[in-house]
Amino acid sequence: MDDKKIIINVGRQLGSGGRTIAKRLAETFGCTFYDKELLNLAAKESGFSEKFFEQNDEQKGFLKSLFHLHAPHVGDNNFYSSRFSQESLFQFQSDAIQKAAREGSCVFVGRCADYILRDFPNVVNIFVTADIDERARMVAQRHDCPMEEAMKIIQNVESSRASYYNYYTGKKWGVASSYDLCISTTPLGIDDTERLIETFIRERMKKL
């Protein structure tokens, strides 16, 4: 496996520890890590502002936000007939993901990377989950908010993620059939779950 380029795509529920695990996998396998970094790459690919991509990250219905942007953000007042559409933003990000994947081993967090890179060799797709109460506690701690508010944050974020993923991939976000491995961090904790995923990836790569 050492001489193989590897692509690891990590989907995650909010508060599950999926991003932490993805970061550790990148370090373990010597991969470049991409999460928010993808927004900068997409901005460079498209010529549009990174702020625009940040405002619409993993949201299918981004088009409505165009009405709140000034011309310098979009580069053209006539965006009705320009390259802006719901699909164009996704395409810019897809191009950035594919370019990064061609250049070397990568770990991508979310953003439909598993679908975008479905024809690339040596790809492993993981989805990380956890019990809802555990995730809510994590989100409440992160945002310094009550559990009730944390639950609402989770619901809103995951609704956007699922809508985005389902729309562009034709698959179901978080459903086992969409990934090579779905795993909860609740039984073992983040550290042991990461080690289990690492073992799975090494065994999976032997068969690719």
Side-chain angles (χ1 to χ4, degrees):
M1 190 187 76
D2 293 339
D3 59 347
K4 283 184 179 180
K5 183 168 68 173
I6 181 173
I7 304 297
I8 303 169
N9 300 311
V10 180
R12 74 287 183 220
Q13 287 187 315
L14 189 65
S16 66
R19 187 184 187 280
T20 298
I21 287 174
K23 185 74 171 177
R24 292 180 184 178
L25 290 173
E27 294 169 358
T28 297
F29 290 99
C31 299
T32 303
F33 177 77
Y34 292 101
D35 183 12
K36 295 293 185 182
E37 294 83 357
L38 284 172
L39 306 181
N40 178 259
L41 290 179
K44 289 180 178 177
E45 287 292 312
S46 66
F48 299 122
S49 105
E50 184 177 353
K51 183 178 180 181
F52 175 74
F53 285 87
E54 289 175 353
Q55 290 172 336
N56 300 285
D57 189 24
E58 289 190 294
Q59 296 184 46
K60 177 175 71 71
F62 79 92
L63 199 58
K64 62 181 180 294
S65 69
L66 291 175
F67 294 100
H68 304 292
L69 294 176
H70 299 296
H73 285 101
V74 300
D76 185 356
N77 281 317
N78 188 24
F79 49 76
Y80 293 106
S81 59
S82 75
R83 47 185 171 159
F84 269 115
S85 69
Q86 270 208 319
E87 282 68 37
S88 62
L89 183 60
F90 178 75
Q91 188 59 55
F92 292 139
Q93 191 161 263
S94 297
D95 291 344
I97 289 171
Q98 290 177 345
K99 181 178 180 181
R102 285 193 293 267
E103 291 176 351
S105 295
C106 302
V107 173
F108 295 101
V109 177
R111 297 170 184 84
C112 302
D114 59 317
Y115 176 77
I116 293 165
L117 302 175
R118 62 195 182 281
D119 295 326
F120 277 60
N122 306 327
V123 174
V124 183
N125 300 316
I126 310 294
F127 190 85
V128 181
T129 183
D131 288 352
I132 183 61
D133 288 343
E134 186 175 320
R135 294 193 289 122
R137 283 193 292 271
M138 180 72 71
V139 172
Q141 182 179 10
R142 184 184 305 162
H143 291 271
D144 190 22
C145 67
M147 286 283 285
E148 183 178 351
E149 184 177 343
M151 288 287 194
K152 291 180 181 178
I153 292 172
I154 290 172
Q155 182 178 6
N156 290 337
V157 170
E158 295 191 348
S159 176
S160 293
R161 285 181 181 173
S163 178
Y164 180 87
Y165 184 89
N166 297 349
Y167 179 81
Y168 287 112
T169 70
K171 300 193 293 180
K172 292 292 185 181
W173 182 79
V175 172
S177 59
S178 297
Y179 310 91
D180 297 314
L181 174 68
C182 288
I183 189 166
S184 171
T185 57
T186 298
L188 299 178
I190 290 176
D191 292 344
D192 286 341
T193 300
E194 187 276 327
R195 284 190 283 269
L196 185 59
I197 294 173
E198 178 186 336
T199 298
F200 174 84
I201 290 172
R202 293 188 185 281
E203 291 302 313
R204 175 65 176 150
M205 287 296 292
K206 291 178 183 179
K207 301 180 184 300
L208 293 175

